[in-house]
Amino acid sequence: MTESELLQLLACGEDSRHQFKRDATNADSLAAELAALANSGGGCLLLGVADDGTVSGLDAAAVRRLNQLLSNAASQHVRPPLSPVSHNVLTAQGLVMVVQVPDGLNKPYMDLQGRVWVKSGADKRHVTAREEMQRMFQRAGLLQADQVPVHNATAADIDERAFGRYFERRYGQSLEAAGLPVVQLMENLQLAQDGVPNLAGLLLFGKQPQRLLQVCQIGAVWFPGTFLGDTRYLDSENIDGTLEEQFQRGMAFIKRSLHHVQGGRGFNTLGQLEVPEEAFVELLVNALVHRDFLVSATIRLFVFTDRVEIISPGHLPDSLTAEQIRTGVSNRRNKVLAEHAAHILPYRGLGTGVPRALGAWPKIDLVDEREANQFRAVVWRVAQPSAATSVDTPQVTGQVTGQVRRLLAVMVAEHSRSELQALLGLKHRDSFMASYLLPALAAGWVEMTIPDKPQSSKQRYRLTPAGKIALTSFNKDTP
């Protein structure tokens, strides 16, 4: 660095990459400055410069003293030790020592008191928040959230039959033939530690994982429009259970919320999903396997009339970008969970999931929201005709399932859900909701009497004007 370059740098003032100091006399204080820079991407410490950027200068004796102090602070007062590089720039006011601190490879760096420092603008601050500390250890590879033993979990929380089926399918022998206790086998597979199931073990083989891992589930909502803040919704579900159960129920929620098109199939067939199923499979699996478990939030699944959003807690790790994952670049955050999930879920773990989803359906936006600390996959749906006009077209009429026709035919007034099931002779609520009521609501042919409170015990359902037109049209088509 020349004197001219130095003066240009000083004219810009202090920032998170450049710290000015007139002098340094205390190794602990200097160590804190070095650690803060190393923990925050690296930068320069300029000695012999006042806070306002004017050069105070150092003489030769001061430079020798500071070199000794710098060596001592970097090697003895920072854990793990640092190796800063210094050089001196001669100015008219004296020497300026420029100390370059690289971005640390072994974060987090601490002082002798065990405190972690990071830059906060031109200043530094002491990290005290547990989540921020955990994240620093995670980025350094010193903490794998999926391998952390779950507090209050015991071997009794593991479904031994489910683990046994997995073990036999993957390793070709029964638990009895293995000759070891289940918890020992799980420890050997990095699914437990000291007899306690870890997060991966509990999520994959737990009896009731959410009893101890409340946020490790999916919150799913089906909205009737395009607005997230809409107080109305057609369906909602808290999807819990093991990772495999969450995947299956999440896919079921998506499939019952979307339109089906005939695609040349017969009248009595359900038809093909409007968006290829493979696109949702890959994105939902990625959200389940790669979410950041240090973020206290659930995976969110929102179905709108124009799109489906799958929101995963935690932004992309390290410097990975959305454009990179589009091309297959990957960085596995939960290595143990991903390794076992590859044998349980339709997951390959090779970075091919997102390119495969895009190949099946290119209309997908991938948004890495670092400030919100989340990753959002937006799947854009096919534009659908409005319910008011669609009943007049033979094509749309032909796509209506026989179940929806039967439902419209029995609706002569306002009915409760149980009354409608009785009129149709149906016993199973889930089947009625998925095949009859929800499709009719989504089409706009049936409406709620209390739309702001979908779960109200006083809720009733009735035909809309469009539904009455549709029913008349269906009756004309019936021989």
Side-chain angles (χ1 to χ4, degrees), residues 77 82 165 174 237 247 257 352 383:
H77 292 251
L82 283 167
R165 290 192 296 270
S174 65
E237 185 177 357
F247 168 74
S257 304
T352 57

Side-chain angles (χ1 to χ4, degrees), residues 414-435:
E414 294 180 355
H415 306 275
S416 68
R417 176 190 54 78
S418 58
E419 288 171 349
L420 289 173
Q421 284 186 229
L423 288 170
L424 293 167
L426 300 173
K427 295 182 179 179
H428 300 292
R429 178 185 181 279
D430 290 347
S431 176
F432 167 71
M433 294 293 291
S435 300

Side-chain angles (χ1 to χ4, degrees), residues 46-166:
L46 294 100
L47 299 169
V49 179
D51 290 342
D52 62 1
T54 59
V55 176
S56 56
L58 303 168
D59 58 24
V63 169
R64 289 193 295 271
R65 175 179 56 80
L66 286 171
N67 271 318
Q68 184 60 44
L69 185 68
L70 176 64
S71 176
N72 188 36
S75 61
Q76 303 297 323
H77 292 251
V78 179
R79 295 288 183 271
L82 283 167
S83 300
V85 176
S86 68
H87 64 278
N88 304 323
V89 179
L90 181 61
T91 72
Q93 290 75 31
L95 291 169
V96 172
M97 180 182 290
V98 180
V99 181
Q100 294 180 321
V101 183
D103 183 16
L105 298 176
N106 299 302
K107 300 184 187 74
Y109 292 88
M110 307 177 185
D111 62 17
L112 287 182
Q113 286 73 46
R115 295 173 297 188
V116 176
W117 297 91
V118 294
K119 295 295 291 183
S120 179
D123 207 348
K124 66 180 184 299
R125 64 178 175 85
H126 177 205
V127 175
T128 57
R130 177 182 177 184
E131 183 174 312
E132 185 177 9
M133 188 76 73
Q134 287 176 327
R135 195 165 306 287
M136 293 186 74
F137 277 95
Q138 183 187 53
R139 289 172 181 168
L142 301 175
L143 173 66
Q144 300 293 328
D146 61 332
Q147 298 176 47
V148 174
V150 178
H151 182 60
N152 289 334
T154 68
D157 291 306
I158 296 300
D159 185 340
E160 293 191 7
R161 294 180 62 185
F163 178 74
R165 290 192 296 270
Y166 168 74

Side-chain angles (χ1 to χ4, degrees), residues 221-233 302-307 309:
V221 184
W222 177 10
F223 292 99
T226 62
F227 177 47
L228 178 61
D230 199 332
T231 57
R232 304 165 301 155
Y233 58 92
F302 297 142
V303 179
F304 300 93
T305 55
D306 62 343
R307 67 194 187 280
E309 295 190 9

Side-chain angles (χ1 to χ4, degrees), residues 171-189:
Y171 299 103
Q173 63 176 157
S174 65
L175 295 179
E176 293 76 13
L180 292 173
V182 168
V183 70
Q184 182 60 57
L185 289 172
M186 292 188 70
E187 287 191 28
N188 294 348
L189 297 175

Side-chain angles (χ1 to χ4, degrees), residues 7 18 49 74 116 120 161 172-173 215 231 242 247 249 252 301 319 354-355 357 368 385 395-396 417 422 475-476:
L7 295 177
H18 303 91
V49 179
V116 176
S120 179
R161 294 180 62 185
Q173 63 176 157
V215 300
T231 57
T242 63
F247 168 74
R249 291 172 57 191
L301 170 58
S319 58
V354 170
D368 188 27
Q395 179 185 9
V396 175
R417 176 190 54 78
N475 290 336
K476 288 180 180 178

Side-chain angles (χ1 to χ4, degrees), residues 18 43 108 110 212 227 245 269 288 392 433:
H18 303 91
M110 307 177 185
L212 299 170
F227 177 47
E245 290 167 341
T269 62
L288 289 167
D392 295 326
M433 294 293 291

Side-chain angles (χ1 to χ4, degrees), residues 394-455:
Q395 179 185 9
V396 175
T397 302
Q399 293 174 6
V400 178
T401 64
Q403 290 96 324
V404 173
R405 286 191 178 202
R406 288 184 59 204
L407 174 63
L408 300 187
V410 301
M411 297 186 72
V412 295
E414 294 180 355
H415 306 275
S416 68
R417 176 190 54 78
S418 58
E419 288 171 349
L420 289 173
Q421 284 186 229
L423 288 170
L424 293 167
L426 300 173
K427 295 182 179 179
H428 300 292
R429 178 185 181 279
D430 290 347
S431 176
F432 167 71
M433 294 293 291
S435 300
Y436 293 79
L437 186 55
L438 291 177
L441 286 166
W445 294 327
V446 172
E447 65 182 1
M448 302 177 190
T449 57
I450 313 175
D452 293 339
K453 298 180 179 179
Q455 305 300 324

